Amino acid sequence: MNVLSGALLLDAGEMRLAGSTYSPRGPADARRRGIAHIHQELSLCPHLSVAENILMGAEPSTAGWIHRDRLGARAARLLEKFGRVEIDPRSRTGNLPLPDQQIVEICRALAWDARVLLMDEPTSTLQRSNVERLFRLIRQLRDRGIAIIYISHFLEEIREIADRYTVLRDGKSVGSGDLGSIRDDDLIAMMVGRSVDNVLETMAASRAPSGEVVLEVEDLAAPPLLRSASLELHRGEILGIAGLIGSGRTDLIRALFGLARVTAGCVRLRGKEIPIAKTDSSWRIRNGFGFLSEDRRREGLALQLSIADNITMSRFSTCARGGWIDLLRQRQQAETVMGRLRVKAPGPRSEVLRLSGGNQQKVVLGRLLHQDPDILLLDEPARGIDVGSKSDIYREIGRLASRGKAVLMVSSYLPELLGVCDRIAVMRRGRLSPARPASEWTPEEIMQVAVGAGS
């Protein structure tokens, strides 16, 4: 996608656009020639307004002066086309939640009236209602003659909107053809280079959570989204939190790790009450908490640093003496974690920035493995990654729970929650339902509770 959109220059081969040789000199040249790219990892300017981001490079202007009224009106029309009139074009983009920023990214591509649209995991942070709006829009664009390349690790999405497929693995095309002529199992085998066992079907059956409660939460509140959450987390257990985006589930995880201001509630760690409103994230790390953010690029990784630095940064004491890092020991520790998670990279000194999304996510989880916390707070641990990487991450989460770790996991993907978790609770409008064994839930029941149609 980066080569097609001009971000990278090709080293070999040839591209043709509408029958003519195509070799863009850069992203601006590609846009002028009708190629628009929706990135998996957001490429927005957080300090600018929604309208400024949507129409960047295509601002209505005269003699260098931008017409603000026309800028806002055109951005509002694009947001309305997507069905998101509640997003204010004047609002600061960095203040929007991640799913709304994804909408801004999509609208920016649409603003260029492209004839070829490149969509890289555009639904990775969207809830189903927005996914359906996007699919309706994609069909409208297709009917207008726009060609669309759609990348997704969700095979059900590919089946829903695509006509043909191409599978890339390790930088090479390994298969292509008509979607109606191939089974999902065959697609998965091509994607990962091996058959993938259904880890979700066997994970929970292989564990036996103990009765010991390591974390108790009573009526925790962190306004404006988290109103009241109570739960018990047991040693050796994976407790899943379902709910719609914006329901307060992420705020619960962040409040427990000291990243959101708590205004009420009680938290007990191993039976002892902790002053949760007065302790910060560093205190929690020292006392056995580990956190994985849903936004790996902005909060989960130091992109310019190496894999080894990222893996060891929350526990440098294992590879440092007198304040100096022992690079050999750090490399050995990083290699152990990389082998355990099957991270594909030239070596532990490689920049994280150059890794694929799936391997970046493995590095984020690898940092937790190296940190070795007792309580893991995981927010969308498998978001936007390929099926092979998901399988590796699911297996590792199950292994951690089997070793006695307590895992609290937020996910938007219901098959993931139902397959990975021992118990599930549902967040709705800032209030958490009682947890029930995963076997007692169905996807339909979870959604009924999430939208307020169930008890």
Side-chain angles (χ1 to χ4, degrees), residues 309 312 316 319-330 349:
D309 288 335
T312 58
F316 275 136
C319 56
R321 295 177 181 174
W324 294 88
I325 296 174
D326 184 330
L327 295 179
L328 176 60
R329 182 178 296 180
Q330 184 193 47
R349 292 296 162 203

Side-chain angles (χ1 to χ4, degrees), residues 7 35 53 59 63 86 118 199 251 299 309 313 331 368 442:
I35 307 291
N53 271 284
E59 302 91 342
E86 71 275 14
L118 314 176
V199 180
D251 300 74
E299 293 186 337
D309 288 335
M313 66 169 47
R331 178 175 63 79
L368 289 185
T442 66

Side-chain angles (χ1 to χ4, degrees), residues 167-174 189-194 344:
V167 177
L168 294 177
R169 186 179 75 244
D170 296 335
K172 295 182 180 180
S173 297
V174 296
M190 280 194 284
M191 290 163 69
V192 299
R194 65 183 192 276
K344 292 183 179 179

Side-chain angles (χ1 to χ4, degrees), residues 238-297:
I238 303 176
L239 173 59
I241 306 295
L244 302 179
I245 293 171
S247 62
R249 53 191 194 160
T250 290
D251 300 74
L252 169 60
I253 293 276
R254 298 178 73 84
L256 290 174
F257 196 65
L259 298 174
R261 189 175 68 88
V262 173
T263 59
C266 170
V267 176
R268 285 185 284 273
L269 178 62
R270 303 179 191 92
K272 182 179 179 181
E273 186 172 344
I274 61 175
I276 191 150
K278 298 180 180 180
T279 53
D280 58 12
S281 298
S282 62
W283 183 92
R284 286 164 173 76
I285 290 175
R286 291 194 302 272
N287 285 272
F289 285 81
F291 171 69
L292 187 151
S293 170
E294 67 172 339
D295 191 345
R296 60 175 171 262
R297 289 179 69 90

Side-chain angles (χ1 to χ4, degrees), residues 216-222 225-232 241 247-249 251-253 255-256 262 264-267 276 408 425-434:
E216 296 175 79
V217 179
E218 291 183 7
D219 299 322
L220 192 68
L225 294 181
L226 182 62
R227 298 181 180 182
S228 177
S230 299
L231 61 88
E232 289 185 350
I241 306 295
S247 62
R249 53 191 194 160
D251 300 74
L252 169 60
I253 293 276
L256 290 174
V262 173
C266 170
V267 176
I276 191 150
L408 183 62
V426 182
M427 186 75 77
R428 175 180 174 268
R429 293 188 176 181
R431 300 186 184 278
L432 189 65
S433 77

